[in-house]
Amino acid sequence: MYLKSIKAYGFKSFADKTEINFGQNINGIVGPNGSGKSNVVDAVRWVLGEQSIKSLRGDSSVDIIFSGSKSRKPLNSASITLVFDNSDRHLPINYTEVSIKRIMYRSGESEFFLNNENCRLKDITNLFADSGVDKESFNIISQGKIDEILSAKADDRRSVFESAAGVLKYKKRKIEALKKLDRTNTNIERINDIISELETNLEPLKRQSEDAQKYLELKEKLKNIEISLMSHDINNYSYEIKITEDKINEINDELTSLSINNSNYDIEIITKKEELIKVENKITENQHQLVELTKNIEKIDANVRILKEREKYTKKTNEVSSNIIKLKEDLLKLNNNIDNLNLIIDNNTKQLSKLEREKNILEKEIEELNKDYNKINNSIQKNNRDLTDLKYKIDYQERTINNNESLPPSIKNILNNPRLKNYHNVIAKLIEVDDKYATCISMSLGNASNYLVVNTPNDAKEMIKYLKDNKLGRATFYPLDTIKPRAIDEQTLNTIKNIKGFINVASNIVKYQKTYENIILNQLGNIIITEDIESANSISKTINNRYKIVTLDGQIVNVGGSITGGSITNKNNLINEKYELDNKKREYQELINSNKKLEQEITNISKTITSKEKELHEITNSIISINNIIKKTNTEKEDNNNNKDNIARELKDLEAINKDKSKGELEKLLNTYYATINNKNDIENSIELLNKEKQSLSETITELETNSKQSNSYINNKEKELNKLNLNINTINIKMDNLLMRLTEEYNMTYESAINNYKLEIDENIAREQVNNIKDNIKRIDNVNIGAIEEYKRVSERYNFLNSQKEDLHNAEQTLMEIINEMDTIMQEKFLKTFEEIRVEFKKVFKELFGGGEAELTLTEPDNILETGIDIKAVPSGKNLKSLSLLSGGEKTFTAISLLFAILNVRPVPFCLLDEVEAALDDANVESFGKYLEKYRDKTQFILITHKKKTMEFADILYGITMQESGVSKLVSVRLEDIKK
């Protein structure tokens, strides 16, 4: 291994990108003072992790970044890259070439890179540990370091030998082990304090836990009996409602029959009254005939008297002839009037028939309209009852959702705590789902539907602390700024989108605000929705079971191919509740809309009925008016007929006088008189019969009306009984609702679940007594702390865990002590062995370089190898010196170089960087120094920064560093080995 190159940019005076490529043997760097050649040493030590700016000859961290010159602007960063040839795998990394790089910015931030990959400084120091390459290693000697080696305290000098002995990594591990040991002891003390505190709380918690356990056992027993009793009562109430409803149906059937009978009574009464009217009309008609016959009898009687008087006349006169003519004229006028009146009567009779038909049609139409009115009104009443029922259910479900009743208690407590903020809502409440996708989305989310979305992890920590402090259970939180989206890869989507049964990705069939996109995609972005389980299996097989697939009816094909399915019995989650609530709201709105339409229809029908009733009233008035006209016309016609008869008789008499026929006429009149008397007697008999019929009809009508009244009274009683039964059903329904609500609120259970899982196996009276006794026993338990069970369990587990931890820590302490002792032993052995080898080599090298003399290395504390210092004794040939301080500058340098070469003989290193170490030597000593360097050719790479021309002669490659431009170092190079050839 050797250093192949140094790449610098922006480091101190290296303003331009500069690369120095080194050979494997001896490399020289020369240049005038101030040209920046010592910056090469600083660059190597800096990239190896030197943190002390003063050691790098600066005052602040930005001093290592090129600060600009008269012609150049300052740079914003400095970077150094060291490239090592690692063909021999000297470094424990599987690369033939290793580069390490450090960049510093003016902000003070540093970055480290290993083979162009970002890394930590620790990664670099671990890689180079005990490799002979280190920022503090003896292989890198800066200006003044030679003097420091000799003038430093014996204790400070030890680090050079530790580096050579390769014990630095053990020393670091020991320091880390000591720190761990210190932390372990601190942890043991802390655990002892906690255990002591837990022991104080454990016994009271145990008592509270026992009380709480007893309380829960009583509650469980109460639950089993009370739910059984409640389901039993609900079942009985249901049976009672069924019996009552059967009774109601029976009464309704009876009422229907009674109504039909009543209708028959009404029809029969109307029929009988119509018959009575006809009889009365016949009586009236016969009475009129009787009157007419009486009048005729009187007329005939008068005519008879006239004929008898007529016999007194014997002569004809002109007066009679004149009267005959006048009477004939009057008779003609009367016939004409009678014809006109008949015409009027015929016309009005036709009009009357037409109006009667129209009246009948209108009455039937009004009757049908009233039926429609009642039918629609009944529908409205039914809708109103349904609306009342739906409103109650909607209000209850909205309260359940708004009060978060279906959420886990932990989430509900957070949402109901006004002090906790910075949360949005549970995931289920942040999305909107169409009806047909409610089941598949519910199954896709599963428990995640109750995960609470918060702003940041700190908000989640606050809420977790609240739950923990108040023993309210656990919850899952999704911070908006942390959760990452998930998706199905494009290739898979393109593969499955045309497969039969594929619907979409779950996240695409829900609606949500943009704010929650990452949350929704995280939960639903990688879930596939299909029509049925067959298509789900087909798609899962196609994509090698890589994604979760959910069908519309909630069957699941999991990642890996396992299948979850069956009937979904528990729909008590937010999505299904919202779906049911939306359905109820839609149904409620549909009923309201239906009522509006029905009310509009009933309004239109009412208007039509009013209009037709008005029309009927007008027709009725017209009928009455026409009847009056016909009656009046008939009266007028009758008068005209009477006048006509009188005139005809008078005319006949006068003509008879002229012809003398009075005797025959008298006989005829008498016959007519007696015939009329007979007709009169017949009519009187008919009237008597009709009066009897009238009386019978009247009695029948009275009897029918009495029966109708009795039936109405019975109907009223039945209707009262019906109302009482309906009220009883309402009361039972309220009791059932209360029991159902208690089941939901107290036990979070449906009636179906209760009746299927809880059976009342004892007498219900005994069960009620047991419920009361258990409730009394529960009341006697004071200050129940349910959380004490979990708290006691948690504390006892923690107590046992901490005791186990305490034992583990003691074991760890023992292990660390063993590790430290083992490392102390290794360091002692390595240090002593290396020290002894260097001591021997130091004597040899010193004599060889100085041409004689004595040199010795001794331990200041031989009994304390781990902390002992090292003394150096050096006496050049021909001198008798008691202290190193008495050596000349050149002698000190040569002594230090002797020590360096002695260390290199014991512990070869990949490369050695020396900054003007031979500056104090004369040419003869430089010659000796150079020749000794030749011994390390092909063993160790040397990079020499020097002023000495003699030293330059030994370099294979020589780099010159100049500062042609103020403040900016430039590099020139010469390959001397080519020149030498």
Side-chain angles (χ1 to χ4, degrees), residues 410 412-417 419-420 460-473:
S410 54
K412 187 161 59 175
N413 277 287
I414 289 173
L415 297 178
N416 292 336
N417 189 331
R419 291 191 303 103
L420 296 175
K461 288 178 184 176
E462 181 185 359
M463 294 171 195
I464 290 171
K465 185 176 185 301
Y466 165 74
L467 294 175
K468 187 177 179 182
D469 291 345
N470 294 281
K471 303 174 182 64
L472 296 174

Side-chain angles (χ1 to χ4, degrees), residues 129-130 166-174 823 830:
D130 289 330
V167 298
L168 287 178
K169 64 180 178 183
Y170 296 105
K171 193 171 184 180
K172 287 180 182 178
R173 290 175 188 171
K174 179 181 177 181
M823 285 191 290
K830 280 182 169 286

Side-chain angles (χ1 to χ4, degrees), residues 431-434 437 440-441 444-445 485-499 501-512 517 519-531 539 543 547-552:
I431 60 175
E432 292 179 13
V433 189
D434 289 340
Y437 299 128
C440 66
I441 293 299
S444 296
L445 284 173
R486 292 186 290 185
I488 296 171
D489 64 273
E490 199 72 21
Q491 184 178 354
T492 299
L493 272 179
N494 291 333
T495 302
I496 66 174
K497 65 182 179 181
N498 293 323
I499 295 178
F502 171 78
I503 292 177
N504 212 326
V505 178
S507 57
N508 293 338
I509 61 176
V510 298
K511 297 176 183 176
Y512 53 88
E517 185 174 20
I519 302 292
I520 306 307
L521 290 177
N522 179 272
Q523 285 300 310
L524 300 175
N526 62 343
I527 296 176
I528 299 167
I529 304 299
T530 65
E531 289 181 355
I539 290 173
I543 62 176
Y547 291 103
K548 181 178 179 180
I549 303 174
V550 182
T551 66
L552 287 177

Side-chain angles (χ1 to χ4, degrees), residues 435-481:
D435 297 351
K436 63 180 179 179
Y437 299 128
T439 299
C440 66
I441 293 299
S442 174
M443 297 307 296
S444 296
L445 284 173
N447 291 333
S449 61
N450 295 327
Y451 291 173
L452 187 61
V453 177
V454 298
N455 286 334
T456 65
N458 288 333
D459 299 326
K461 288 178 184 176
E462 181 185 359
M463 294 171 195
I464 290 171
K465 185 176 185 301
Y466 165 74
L467 294 175
K468 187 177 179 182
D469 291 345
N470 294 281
K471 303 174 182 64
L472 296 174
R474 299 168 66 84
T476 301
F477 302 88
Y478 266 40
L480 281 174
D481 62 351

Side-chain angles (χ1 to χ4, degrees), residues 348-362 616 618-624 626:
N348 278 292
T349 300
K350 291 177 181 178
Q351 181 66 21
L352 183 63
S353 298
K354 180 183 176 184
L355 289 174
E356 288 289 351
R357 287 195 300 273
E358 290 178 355
K359 179 185 176 185
N360 291 333
I361 292 170
L362 277 174
L616 180 63
E618 290 173 355
I619 289 174
T620 303
N621 287 338
S622 297
I623 288 171
I624 293 169
I626 290 172

Side-chain angles (χ1 to χ4, degrees), residues 4 71 98 136 144 170 351 432 546 683 688 763 782 795 828 979:
K4 288 180 71 174
S71 59
V98 177
E136 296 292 343
Y170 296 105
Q351 181 66 21
E432 292 179 13
R546 286 188 294 114
I683 289 172
E688 185 178 355
D763 182 76
D782 294 329
V795 171
Q828 285 177 354
I979 297 173

